[in-house]
Amino acid sequence: MWLNIKSFEEYQNIYRQSEKDRLKFWEHEAGTFYWRKSWDKVHSGGFEKGDIKWFEGGKLNITENALDRHLNTIGHKTAFIFEPNHPDSFRRTITYRQLHEDVCRFANVLESKGIEKGDRVCIYMAMTPELIIAALACARIGAVHSIVFAGFSAQSLAERIQDCDAKMLITNDGLRRGDKHVPLKDISDEALESCPTVKNVIVCQRTNRDIDWKDGRDEWWHNLIRNASKRHTAVEMDAEDPLFILYTSGSTGKPKGVLHTCGGYMVYTSYTFRNVFQVEEEDVYWCTADAGWITGHSYIIYGPLFNGATGIIFEGTPTYPDAGRLWEVVEKYKVTHFYTAPTAIRALMSYDLDYVRKYDLSSLKVLGSVGEPINEEAWHWYNDHVGGGKCPIVDTWWQTETGGIMISPLAGITPTKPGFATLPLPGISPALMDENGKEIEGNGVNGNLCIKHPWPGIARTVWGDHERYLKTYMSAYKGHYFTGDGCRRDAEGYYRITGRVDDVLNVSGHRLGTAEIENAINEHPNIVETAIVGYPHDIKGQGVFAFMICEKDPKDPDAFKKEIHDLVTKIIGPIAKPDKIQIVAGLPKTRSGKIMRRILRKIAADDMDNLGDTSTLLDPSVVDDIVAGKAI
Ligand code: PRX
C-alpha cells in the first residue's frame, strides 16, 4: 500500500521509523510501483564519492507507472485540462487513455527518426499538452529529455543542446505568452547554426505564423503522428538509467545539467506529491509552473500522473487578459489544489482585490508555494483572499537537484506558520551547519542547510562533469549534501529557509548565477568589469543589481541601459535583465582580487549604515565612491 499519511501523529511516528530504518522505509515506497523486475539492492553509494544508487538492478519504464498502470482503473479519467493563453482559444481535456495513446504515437515517431535509448532530445516548447507528450515519449523509449524553458535565448538554447549533444530538437512554430509572441522556431534556427549534433527538428504548430523551413531536417509534428501507431511497447530501463537532464544556474560558470534517473525519481516524486498535497479522487490540481523548470517536471508531469490525478496545463500568465485570470481558471474548473510561486502572489497583490473577489474560489482546499521564501504579507494575502482562511498553505522547500519536495507541511496535517517550510518529510534528515563545518544541534539556531543521507530523488551527477557535482554539493560539508541555502530552525524545530548563501540569485523564483549575468554583460565593448548582486525587490523577491566599470562614460544612460538589457536578453533571456545598473570607477576587491559582494549587496539594498570591515580591501576608497554614486 502507498504511504498516505493522514494525521500529525502518524507523520511523527513515520518520521521516527524512517530515521531508524531508512532503507526499509524507501523499499516499502518503491514496492508500490510496477517493476518489470525487482531491484537487487535498495541503495548503495554516498555523498563522499557521489556514487549514489537506488533500486539498482530494478527494471521498469516510468511511463508504465504514469500511464499504462492506470488504464484499466482510471483510463477514462481526465489526466489534463489544457487552458490556453487566451481564454477564448480552444481548450481541451485529455484522459489517461488518450494521453497513453498520444505518448505511444509520439514514441513511435521518435523511434522512426532513429532516436534510441540513451540519446538526448531537447524540448523547447510552449506550455501545451504536446510538451508533456514529447517528454513522456522520450521516457518511454529511454531517451533522455532536456526541456529548456521557452523564455531562454538562442544562445542559451544552443549551449544546452551542445552540452548534452542532443540529437533532436522538438519545438513550436512560436508561442504566445500574455500579449507577447515568442518566435520559437526562429530562435531554434539561430541556435541550431552552432549545434551540428541535431539532425532532426520536429515542429508542433501553435501560432501558424510564417517560419523558415529546412528540408530534410524539419518536419511537422502533425504530419508525423498521422500514421503512427497508438501502440508502443515501452523500453525496459534500469532504475539508474538517466531519465532527464535539466539545466540550472550555479554560483560559477555556465548552467549545470542536473541529471535525474528513472527509479529513484519516480519513487520520490510520487511519494512527495501524494503526502504533501493530499489530492483525492475527484480533485482538480493546478500547478502554475512552466514545465521548463523542475516544478513542472516533478509536479505537473510526473508526480501527479503516478498518482492518477487530474491536472491543469496552463499556457498563459497571471495578468493576461487581466489580473483575475488565475481566479477565473480556478472558478471555471473548480480547482481544489493550487500551487504557485510567491512572486505571482506578490504581483497580484498589487492589483485591486476585486480581481479576486469577482470569482468563486470556494472549490479550493489546499494552497501551495514554491521557489523562494514567501514573505508574511504575501502569505496572509494568499491565506485570507485566495484561501478564504480555510485552506492550509504548503510552503514547499526543495531544489532542481533534490528532484522533489524535502521540507514542507503535509496539507491539513502539519500545523503551519507563515514563512516556514515547517518540517522535513519522512526519509529526509536535515542538518544545520556552522562556518567550521560542524553540525549545530538543538533549536532556535541558524546555519547552512545540509541533508545528512541520500534520498531516492537526489540528482546523480552534473551531465559530463561529475567533478563539478562533487565540488558543488558534496565538498563543503564532508559526508553531507550542501543545499546552498541558509536556514533557521526555530524554538519548535520548525525550518524557515532564509535564502541562498552562495552567489546564486532567486529572481521571481528563478535561479540565476551572478557569474552568468556578469559574463553576458562583459561582452559589451564598453564594459571593463561587472559585479552582479541581488537586492530586495517587492515583486520579484530579488532584483538584479549590476555594478559595472565602463571604459568610457556612456553619453546617454538610458540608451546604455537598454543596450545592456538587449545584450542580456540575447545571451541569457529576459528574466536575467538587470533591474538597476550603476557605473562605478572601481569594485571593492580583496588583495587577492576577489570581489567583496557582501559590501555591494548592502549598498544595493540601501543598507549603508553597517558596511562592515572594509580594511581588507585593496582600495577601501572605492566603497565611498560607490555609496556616493547613483543607480540608473
Ligand atoms: O533558495 C531555495 C529556493 O529555490 C532554490 C532552488 O531553486 P530551483 O532549483 O530553481 O528550484 C525551485 C523550485 C523547487 C532553493 O535553493 N526555494 C525553493 N523553494 C523554496 C525556496 N526558498 C524558500 N522557501 C521555499 N519554499
Side-chain angles (χ1 to χ4, degrees):
M1 267 288 281
W2 278 354
L3 176 62
N4 205 344
I5 299 169
K6 287 293 169 208
S7 70
F8 192 53
E9 201 188 342
E10 193 185 354
Y11 159 78
Q12 288 172 315
N13 283 336
I14 291 185
Y15 191 84
R16 273 193 294 271
Q17 283 168 23
S18 74
E19 287 279 274
K20 250 192 239 138
D21 195 342
R22 253 189 330 281
L23 298 194
K24 189 168 159 210
F25 174 78
W26 290 120
E27 184 162 36
H28 174 270
E29 265 317 289
T32 60
F33 291 87
Y34 169 63
W35 298 82
R36 292 200 190 166
K37 173 189 164 288
S38 190
W39 49 89
D40 302 321
K41 197 161 186 200
V42 181
H43 167 61
S44 66
F47 295 140
E48 286 76 10
K49 293 197 190 135
D51 53 351
I52 298 157
K53 293 193 170 82
W54 285 94
F55 317 116
E56 203 180 354
K59 302 287 179 195
L60 78 162
N61 187 287
I62 190 164
T63 68
E64 288 185 332
N65 284 284
L67 301 171
D68 304 54
R69 185 171 56 144
H70 299 316
L71 294 182
N72 287 334
T73 46
I74 52 163
H76 59 281
K77 184 175 172 179
T78 300
F80 287 116
I81 299 166
F82 171 57
E83 173 70 13
N85 179 53
H86 195 284
D88 297 336
S89 300
F90 180 63
R91 63 177 57 93
R92 53 192 158 128
T93 58
I94 303 162
T95 64
Y96 271 88
R97 186 168 301 282
Q98 286 164 337
L99 184 61
H100 177 261
E101 286 180 13
D102 288 343
V103 169
C104 286
R105 256 192 211 100
F106 201 63
N108 284 316
V109 167
L110 292 177
E111 283 180 341
S112 75
K113 293 282 135 202
I115 302 296
E116 293 174 357
K117 180 173 174 174
D119 287 342
R120 272 79 60 205
V121 172
C122 181
I123 300 174
Y124 182 65
M125 295 180 88
M127 259 307 275
T128 57
E130 283 70 23
L131 189 169
I132 291 173
I133 292 164
L136 291 168
C138 286
R140 192 150 183 104
I141 66 165
V144 182
H145 61 73
S146 165
I147 306 180
V148 177
F149 171 59
F152 279 119
S153 66
Q155 199 165 321
S156 292
L157 174 63
E159 258 175 29
R160 286 156 171 79
I161 292 174
Q162 289 158 3
D163 187 76
C164 68
D165 295 320
K167 248 173 125 172
M168 176 187 270
L169 175 68
I170 307 169
T171 189
N172 292 103
D173 44 358
L175 68 75
R176 287 198 185 80
R177 193 177 283 131
D179 52 13
K180 289 199 189 75
H181 171 254
V182 185
L184 292 184
K185 176 63 164 57
D186 295 352
I187 298 171
S188 299
D189 286 342
E190 190 187 332
L192 292 180
E193 281 170 21
S194 56
C195 301
T197 56
V198 173
K199 303 291 178 226
N200 296 92
V201 178
I202 298 181
V203 187
C204 186
Q205 204 162 36
R206 185 72 194 129
T207 52
N208 296 332
R209 292 214 180 181
D210 278 349
I211 50 171
D212 287 341
W213 202 254
K214 195 164 170 185
D215 286 329
R217 185 195 71 178
D218 301 347
E219 278 172 284
W220 285 112
W221 175 295
H222 55 262
N223 287 342
L224 290 167
I225 57 165
R226 196 169 294 139
N227 297 319
S229 163
K230 61 181 186 184
R231 281 181 225 294
H232 179 271
T233 309
V235 169
E236 187 166 287
M237 306 291 283
D238 189 274
E240 280 299 332
D241 280 336
L243 173 65
F244 68 82
I245 300 169
L246 182 57
Y247 285 85
T248 190
S249 295
S251 49
T252 55
K254 56 186 178 109
K256 310 182 274 274
V258 169
L259 181 87
H260 284 284
T261 55
C262 296
Y265 179 80
M266 173 179 78
V267 172
Y268 198 66
T269 52
S270 177
Y271 152 74
T272 50
F273 176 79
R274 189 179 333 114
N275 287 287
V276 169
F277 294 104
Q278 301 279 324
V279 172
E280 291 168 345
E281 189 65 35
E282 300 298 318
D283 286 342
V284 178
Y285 161 87
W286 182 16
C287 166
T288 67
D290 189 286
W293 310 106
I294 192 67
T295 308
H297 284 61
S298 301
Y299 299 113
I300 294 179
I301 308 180
Y302 290 107
L305 291 179
F306 296 136
N307 285 282
T310 295
I312 292 181
I313 303 172
F314 178 51
E315 192 186 22
T317 70
T319 50
Y320 178 79
D322 63 40
R325 183 66 189 279
L326 299 183
W327 321 127
E328 183 217 330
V329 175
V330 168
E331 178 184 282
K332 183 157 56 186
Y333 300 117
K334 299 198 169 28
V335 170
T336 54
H337 291 67
F338 179 75
Y339 189 29
T340 197
T343 186
I345 300 164
R346 286 193 300 265
L348 295 176
M349 272 166 68
S350 62
Y351 291 86
D352 199 301
L353 253 189
D354 281 348
Y355 282 113
V356 192
R357 291 201 185 118
K358 221 163 101 181
Y359 297 100
D360 176 7
L361 306 183
S362 60
S363 58
L364 287 171
K365 298 201 278 195
V366 173
L367 303 177
S369 170
V370 61
E372 47 173 328
I374 181 164
N375 49 310
E376 288 206 18
E377 200 191 346
W379 193 97
H380 285 295
W381 189 89
Y382 200 25
N383 183 57
D384 299 348
H385 301 298
V386 180
K390 67 174 177 54
C391 301
I393 297 179
V394 289
D395 178 356
T396 63
W397 174 83
W398 58 296
Q399 309 179 298
T400 304
E401 297 86 343
T402 68
I405 297 167
M406 303 282 281
I407 303 182
S408 168
L410 310 182
I413 291 168
T414 313
T416 60
K417 278 190 212 181
F420 282 78
T422 71
L423 297 169
L425 299 191
I428 302 303
S429 325
L432 300 188
M433 311 299 273
D434 70 14
E435 280 151 21
N436 305 317
K438 268 193 65 187
E439 184 174 351
I440 309 167
E441 308 274 354
N443 290 340
V445 292
N446 290 302
N448 286 347
L449 179 62
C450 286
I451 308 293
K452 287 189 198 177
H453 308 289
W455 63 100
I458 187 176
R460 302 297 197 262
T461 191
V462 167
W463 183 261
D465 197 350
H466 198 63
E467 270 310 303
R468 194 169 172 201
Y469 172 79
L470 292 173
K471 193 160 171 268
T472 313
Y473 309 111
M474 317 295 175
S475 70
Y477 301 98
K478 283 274 168 272
H480 289 72
Y481 166 82
F482 176 45
T483 65
D485 280 323
C487 183
R488 168 156 190 81
R489 188 165 52 222
D490 77 356
E492 276 184 275
Y494 266 40
Y495 289 82
R496 180 192 193 118
I497 310 301
T498 49
R500 302 288 305 195
V501 293
D502 54 9
D503 291 331
V504 171
L505 306 185
N506 193 328
V507 178
S508 301
H510 301 316
R511 255 163 86 165
L512 294 168
T514 48
E516 230 180 305
I517 310 176
E518 287 162 4
N519 291 342
I521 294 179
N522 291 343
E523 302 253 317
H524 190 286
N526 190 23
I527 299 289
V528 179
E529 194 176 3
T530 311
I532 296 288
V533 294
Y535 72 98
H537 187 287
D538 283 351
I539 291 180
K540 298 178 174 184
Q542 263 189 320
V544 179
F545 200 123
F547 293 92
M548 44 183 84
I549 306 173
C550 290
E551 220 157 76
K552 283 188 249 123
D553 257 359
K555 283 198 193 75
D556 178 348
D558 289 335
F560 178 67
K561 190 169 179 182
K562 182 166 182 309
E563 280 172 33
I564 298 293
H565 278 183
D566 290 348
L567 184 65
V568 173
T569 302
K570 180 167 169 277
I571 297 178
I572 305 174
I575 50 172
K577 283 191 301 202
D579 298 279
K580 290 188 184 175
I581 65 180
Q582 181 173 341
I583 297 162
V584 295
L587 291 166
K589 287 191 179 172
T590 59
R591 289 192 183 89
S592 60
K594 213 174 154 260
I595 297 172
M596 268 217 181
R597 284 170 208 277
R598 175 176 59 76
I599 294 174
L600 293 177
R601 273 196 287 268
K602 291 215 159 190
I603 297 173
D606 229 355
D607 176 15
M608 319 285 194
D609 292 345
N610 179 19
L611 290 178
D613 181 15
T614 55
S615 63
T616 56
L617 291 178
L618 189 61
D619 176 7
S621 73
V622 294
V623 175
D624 300 331
D625 289 347
I626 299 174
V627 169
K630 237 178 98 202
I632 45 175

